Amino acid sequence: MDLIKSIAELEQYVAALKAENKKIGFVPTMGALHEGHLQLVRRAVAENEVAIVSVFVNPTQFNDKNDLAKYPRTLEADSALLESVGCTAVFAPSAEEFYTEEEMNTTFQFDFAGLDEVMEGKFRPGHFNGVVQVVSKLFHLVQPTRAYFGEKDFQQLAIIRHMVRSMQFDVEIIGCPIVREESGLARSSRNTLLTEEQRALAANIHAVLKESTSFYSMTTVHELHDATIAAINRHEGLEVEYYDIVNGDTLQSIEKWEDADYVVGCITVYCGSVRLIDNIRFK
Ligand code: PAF
């Protein structure tokens, strides 16, 4: 497996692959890899001739500098995991290498057709501008045939699909199902920040969401929304930041179950100081 640290090296690497007409599968990550990432990489390896993974904690998508500072960084362990699943190359630049000073200090403003005005976009202002800034630059550099994203970051996936359409990137975006721990907790790099006790507590998020899918049609959207928040907050140490039941295509909240054919509940919960996100599909 090749480890690439500079943009110049990556450009040369990709140019050589393109000259041989190789299909490139790409998985952008911020490292601290877990089974959820590895599933994406396994698919990228299986479906393409070459699989490139980026490991880069992107400073421009963090609106909270504390969150950025405590984000886990584990490149050595990540590289070993990537090698074990057949990854071809890792691109792991420093922030100074990846961004010019101007890029680092400019607030990018993309138009997401309202997709960014709800949920994560509302609670993390500027977050998706930073995500699109980094992913669009990575797409320009890596020129992937296919790029793989987890459905845990449901809103991010919708925004990336929108970005690809509006910027006319020639890449197929592949959304992959959430990978969960045995307890049901969605796999996340942030789980490493939880104590064992908090990990068990956080499993209640998925348990409550999953249970609600068995009786949702017997309640109104508003009743289910409020009951879900109450059921999670009942666990001391968990606090829901938001829970939105949305049309899965537009990400706008629905009023009635009949308002959309594709309905997803998206939630963010603080477990102590660790911010966890998850979602569940109703129909
Ligand atoms: O989902 C993530 O880990 C990040 O938002 C991404 C897509 C790698 C961009 O930094």
Side-chain angles (χ1 to χ4, degrees):
M1 188 179 72
D2 298 303
L3 176 61
I4 301 170
K5 293 247 178 183
S6 76
I7 287 186
E9 224 185 310
L10 179 65
E11 281 173 333
Q12 270 182 17
Y13 195 85
V14 169
L17 294 172
K18 290 282 158 187
E20 291 178 38
N21 241 333
K22 296 269 195 233
K23 301 249 181 284
I24 303 176
F26 177 48
V27 184
T29 81
M30 296 207 299
L33 302 181
H34 50 73
E35 189 51 35
H37 295 112
L38 297 184
Q39 295 281 21
L40 306 182
V41 181
R42 284 193 194 97
R43 265 194 82 171
V45 169
E47 296 174 2
N48 305 276
E49 291 160 285
V50 169
I52 299 181
V53 176
S54 60
V55 173
F56 178 57
V57 182
N58 173 34
T60 68
Q61 71 187 73
F62 284 82
N63 55 322
D64 174 352
K65 293 296 158 216
N66 256 339
D67 195 19
L68 172 62
K70 71 177 191 215
Y71 202 87
R73 289 160 172 85
T74 55
L75 183 59
E76 224 174 279
D78 292 343
S79 300
L81 285 172
L82 290 172
E83 183 136 39
S84 76
V85 293
C87 169
T88 321
V90 185
F91 176 50
S94 65
E96 294 70 30
E97 168 65 26
F98 189 74
Y99 286 129
T100 61
E101 219 174 293
E102 196 188 344
E103 284 171 326
M104 193 76 135
N105 296 316
T106 312
T107 308
F108 278 74
Q109 285 302 336
F110 296 96
D111 179 3
F112 302 113
L115 292 172
D116 63 319
E117 282 160 20
V118 293
M119 304 193 286
E120 291 300 283
K122 203 154 90 188
F123 285 88
R124 300 180 72 186
H127 169 65
F128 288 118
N129 279 307
V131 170
V132 166
Q133 180 186 16
V134 72
V135 175
S136 58
K137 182 160 177 175
L138 286 166
F139 280 3
H140 281 300
L141 292 168
V142 176
Q143 300 172 50
T145 316
R146 300 184 186 87
Y148 298 79
F149 292 85
E151 287 173 352
K152 181 169 79 68
D153 296 294
F154 189 76
Q155 188 172 11
Q156 169 171 281
L157 180 55
I159 285 176
I160 297 290
R161 289 192 196 283
H162 176 81
M163 174 196 93
V164 163
R165 281 193 304 273
S166 64
M167 293 186 180
Q168 302 184 345
F169 278 108
D170 186 15
V171 55
E172 186 184 349
I173 299 299
I174 305 201
C176 302
I178 298 178
V179 179
R180 299 187 179 279
E181 297 187 357
E182 221 170 284
S183 67
L185 175 64
R187 300 248 180 196
S188 162
S189 305
R190 291 169 194 265
N191 292 358
T192 58
L193 303 171
L194 299 170
T195 63
E196 274 313 304
E197 209 178 303
Q198 285 177 319
R199 238 179 154 102
L201 185 64
N204 288 295
I205 302 167
H206 177 61
V208 170
L209 291 177
K210 189 164 171 230
E211 201 196 337
S212 73
T213 60
S214 63
F215 62 84
Y216 80 93
S217 56
M218 290 179 281
T219 70
T220 68
V221 172
H222 289 284
E223 280 164 358
L224 190 88
H225 170 268
D226 293 355
T228 300
I229 294 177
I232 292 175
N233 284 347
R234 199 170 297 138
H235 296 275
E236 205 182 316
L238 293 183
E239 191 167 357
V240 175
E241 182 174 51
Y242 69 79
Y243 179 45
D244 281 8
I245 300 175
V246 302
N247 175 324
D249 293 316
T250 64
L251 306 188
Q252 302 308 306
S253 290
I254 58 160
E255 293 289 320
K256 299 195 285 316
W257 297 114
E258 311 79 83
D259 285 351
D261 296 329
Y262 177 24
V263 176
V264 181
C266 299
I267 199 158
T268 291
V269 181
Y270 274 96
C271 182
S273 63
V274 184
R275 194 172 181 274
L276 300 171
I277 69 173
D278 203 345
N279 62 73
I280 197 94
R281 183 167 179 172
F282 288 100
K283 58 173 176 165

